[in-house]
């Protein structure tokens, strides 16, 4: 009978990329909180080069540009992040907010109207968008947006104040 040889090979676990990703992302976020936007961006850009499928990194890069008030670059990277993750309502809302800040109010407001308010944590960009609508005498659109926000965030006091302002501007009294 033939000899059977068994060769034992030591199994080596491959490092989990999530560990490096999380550690580096936390390092980058800490730098951003310290207003060190360029240093943070370098970390996120290096991670994006290594992990191109992690679309959230584009959002972090966008935030670093926004921190430097470089809105065109912030919008460019947030648009990439939002396009790669179209179901992410938070990213879409941040993109709309950046567009509003960058002066593209019409497109920002159109985008805000498509955001699913049940999937966001912070309604303030929507409230700010409604203020722009009130100021542009588009009170029906403002009320529609504010009513959505009030339904989802009933304890957000600003909603009721601006909804009242919209009713007054529209000369509609509930």
């Amino acid at each position: 009978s033939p000899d059977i040889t068994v060769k034992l090979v030591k199994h080596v676990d491959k490092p989990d990329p999530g560990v490096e990703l999380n550690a580096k992302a936390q390092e980058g976020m800490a730098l951003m909180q310290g207003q060190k936007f360029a240093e943070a961006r370098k970390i996120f850009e290096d991670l994006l080069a290594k992990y191109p499928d992690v679309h959230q990194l584009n959002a972090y890069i966008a935030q670093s540009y926004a921190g430097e008030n470089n809105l065109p670059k912030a919008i460019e990277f947030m648009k990439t992040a939002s396009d790669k993750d179209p179901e992410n309502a938070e990213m879409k809302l941040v993109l709309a907010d950046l567009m509003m800040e960058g002066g593209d109010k019409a497109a920002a407001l159109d985008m805000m109207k498509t955001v699913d308010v049940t999937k966001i944590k912070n309604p303030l960009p929507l409230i700010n968008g409604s203020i722009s609508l009130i100021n542009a005498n588009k009170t029906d659109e403002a009320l529609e947006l504010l009513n959505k926000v009030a339904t989802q965030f009933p304890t957000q006091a600003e909603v009721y104040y601006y909804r009242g302002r919209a009713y007054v501007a529209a000369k509609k009294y509930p």
Side-chain angles (χ1 to χ4, degrees), residues 12-166:
V12 179
D13 286 328
K14 289 185 178 178
D16 177 3
V19 172
E20 176 193 16
L21 201 55
N22 287 335
K24 286 287 190 185
Q26 285 180 353
E27 184 182 334
M29 293 306 285
L31 286 168
M32 290 222 297
Q33 288 180 341
Q35 310 288 302
K36 295 178 180 176
F37 301 112
E39 292 174 47
R41 185 170 46 255
K42 174 79 172 102
I43 288 173
F44 297 131
E45 288 170 341
D46 290 349
L47 285 172
L48 186 61
K50 193 170 183 178
Y51 305 105
D53 293 334
V54 181
H55 310 304
Q56 178 66 34
L57 292 168
N58 288 292
Y60 292 148
I61 293 168
Q63 289 174 335
S64 74
Y65 280 119
E68 294 172 333
N69 208 24
N70 183 340
L71 293 176
K73 290 297 268 183
I75 290 167
E76 173 190 332
F77 278 90
M78 190 55 77
K79 182 165 178 19
T80 299
S82 183
D83 288 350
K84 302 253 184 196
D85 190 0
E87 298 303 308
N88 188 321
E90 290 283 346
M91 269 196 236
K92 189 185 283 190
L93 188 55
V94 170
L95 175 58
D97 201 33
L98 288 169
M99 291 165 62
M100 178 80 71
E101 210 175 312
D104 193 355
K105 287 186 180 180
L109 290 168
D110 285 346
M111 185 175 289
M112 284 182 183
K113 292 175 195 169
T114 69
V115 171
D116 181 350
V117 295
T118 65
K119 294 184 178 175
I120 62 169
K121 295 179 194 102
N122 178 8
L124 292 179
L126 293 174
I127 294 170
N128 291 337
S130 71
I131 294 167
S132 291
L133 289 167
I134 293 167
N135 292 339
N137 291 318
K138 295 181 178 181
T139 52
D140 288 341
E141 292 176 50
L143 286 166
E144 184 180 333
L145 198 54
L146 288 164
N147 287 333
K148 278 191 210 174
V149 174
T151 300
Q152 188 62 30
F153 299 93
T155 61
Q156 192 79 35
E158 301 93 330
V159 173
Y160 303 102
Y161 171 76
Y162 288 108
R163 194 164 64 176
R165 290 234 353 244

